[in-house]
Every structure is written in structure tokens, then in C-alpha cells.
Amino acid sequence: MSSFFERNRAKLADLGIDPDRLPPGQYHTERFPVLHAGSVPAVDLDSWDLAFDGLVSEERTWDWESVISMPTTETITDIHCVTKWTKFDTVWEGIPTRTFAEAVSVRPEATHVLVSAYHGYTANLPLEDFLAPTSMFAHTYQGEPLEPDHGYPLRLLVPHLYFWKSVKWVRGVTFLSEDSPGFWERNGYHMYGDPFREQRYWGD
Ligand SMILES: Nc1nc2c(c(=O)[nH]1)N[C@H]1C(S)=C(S)[C@@H](COP(=O)(O)O)O[C@H]1N2
Ligand SMILES: [Mo]
């Protein structure tokens, strides 16, 4: 008897999707599930800012008006949640993470970042992954402003790692000289989180 996961994977070929795009242990969905710890923050754009600090030559914050007027890039990408859903071909528009890193001029000792949001949510990742060409601060999803549930007004998008690294309602980035666990990483999730190596939990 075939499992739900096997049947779900077998359907991909019929949909014209290469089954290799589905990481091990995942199923694909057309829905866009909402997942977070705590409540959706009330965002006031007038007092909102995005702060970059730690190992940088010049600490800086950006207000909403300047963020929304910055040049954007678009990416079409698959996203993978550790709770086992994968969604193919999601369309995002936002500002490349590199744009901000260049503006604050990240110091050579920096190896990792800790990204933070409203309500104290954080996620850590290597600098290299934060600066990957597909990593961005997204404000637009499928041509529309982000829904409050999905991180309005701005979220990090790092699509090649499990989606808990893609911090919603992002407010800041701290550049560090060592890895430092974020919210889920302190609570059992993997420090790196590569979906194709199934790095879900500590020890994976
Ligand atoms: N600020 C914040 N960002 C967060 C989370 C959270 O609890 N708070 N949850 C993460 C997790 S576990 C996942 S799977 C994705 C879910 O994003 P979605 O609700 O847009 O699908 O957001 C991530 N970003
Ligand atoms: Mo998640």
C-alpha cells in the first residue's frame, strides 16, 4: 500500500513538475499555510524601521518610505516548511539582502547573522546564505503587498533553507562572528536547515 507521501510525490510528474524538486519527507500543496509562534503584530508604518547592527562599519536603520522606494528584484521559487509542506513556484518581489549589506559595509570578521522580528522571534543563518542571490527582503507576494499573516510589511526570504529561517515581520539583522541559535534553533530545530539534506532537528 502506498503512503500519502508516495502518492503525493507520484502526482508531480502528472503536473509537469520534476519530482526531484520535492525534498525528502515533504509533500506539495497548492495552499499557502500560515505558521507562526504568537500573534500577528500590529504594524505602524510611521514608526517602523529596519535596523542593521553588529559587525558592520556603519550601523544603519531604514524607515518604511526608503525601503519601499528601493530597487527590487523578483524571484520565482519553491518554499519548504519543516512541518512537511512544499509550495512550488511562489512569486516574490523585494530588495536583495546584498543591497543593505553593501550599504552598511559588513566587516570581514562577520560569518553569521541573527535576524529578528516583532515579539522577539529570531533566526540564525550563515552570512553566505543570507547574502545568496535568491535571498531578499520581500514586500510583495504574487503581485500584492504581503498579507499580515505572511509577514506584512516585510519578511526575509531565504528559499533554499527551511521556511522558519524566512523571518516574517522582520525588524533587524545583527552581523556576528559566530553562529548563535535563534528562536526555533534553541528549541530543537537544526542550526542550518537544508531541506534537501532533511536537516529538521538537532542531530539530523
Ligand atoms: N516573525 C516570525 N517569522 C516566522 C515565524 C514566526 O513564528 N515568527 N515562523 C516561521 C515558520 S516556522 C514558517 S514555516 C514560516 C511560515 O510562513 P508563512 O506563514 O508565510 O507560510 O514563517 C517563519 N517566519
Ligand atoms: Mo515552519
Side-chain angles (χ1 to χ4, degrees):
M1 211 176 71
S2 68
S3 71
F4 164 76
F5 285 91
E6 286 162 6
R7 290 195 306 276
N8 180 278
R9 183 175 291 269
K11 257 191 287 182
L12 285 176
D14 301 339
L15 295 169
I17 292 172
D18 178 356
D20 287 347
R21 284 168 63 187
L22 189 65
Q26 297 289 109
Y27 68 92
H28 73 94
T29 178
E30 262 147 51
R31 299 184 310 115
F32 192 175
V34 169
L35 264 125
H36 47 258
S39 55
V40 176
V43 175
D44 171 23
L45 289 183
D46 291 333
S47 57
W48 182 96
D49 62 12
L50 183 64
F52 290 76
D53 58 21
L55 295 170
V56 295
S57 297
E58 197 198 340
E59 295 194 350
R60 269 188 71 178
T61 60
W62 278 261
D63 63 14
W64 179 248
E65 238 177 88
S66 34
V67 165
I68 200 63
S69 56
M70 287 165 90
T72 61
T73 178
E74 192 185 81
T75 187
I76 303 179
T77 189
D78 305 339
I79 53 181
H80 314 288
C81 175
V82 71
T83 62
K84 303 200 168 178
W85 55 269
T86 284
K87 187 169 169 62
F88 293 112
D89 296 321
T90 58
V91 186
W92 304 86
E93 184 186 340
I95 301 120
T97 49
R98 282 164 187 255
T99 305
F100 295 97
E102 280 162 14
V104 296
S105 101
V106 178
R107 301 236 302 260
E109 314 89 89
T111 57
H112 291 80
V113 296
L114 190 66
V115 181
S116 56
Y118 286 82
H119 304 332
Y121 185 86
T122 52
N124 55 300
L125 59 165
L127 182 61
E128 191 184 343
D129 297 87
F130 175 73
L131 296 178
T134 46
S135 297
M136 66 160 79
F137 290 98
H139 51 57
T140 302
Y141 173 73
Q142 321 264 90
E144 301 287 337
L146 283 183
E147 299 277 344
D149 276 350
H150 290 297
Y152 173 89
L154 194 73
R155 79 179 296 164
L156 182 64
L157 178 71
V158 180
H160 68 285
L161 299 178
Y162 279 124
F163 211 34
W164 85 77
K165 302 283 185 181
S166 290
V167 174
K168 303 196 277 191
W169 313 297
V170 64
R171 291 297 300 273
V173 177
T174 301
F175 295 85
L176 303 168
S177 60
E178 60 186 2
D179 205 2
S180 172
F183 176 80
W184 283 117
E185 294 83 0
R186 283 194 297 271
N187 287 286
Y189 283 17
H190 198 275
M191 286 292 270
Y192 185 61
D194 178 350
F196 286 92
R197 287 187 278 165
E198 239 189 316
Q199 295 173 333
R200 297 177 194 276
Y201 310 111
W202 296 346
D204 283 350

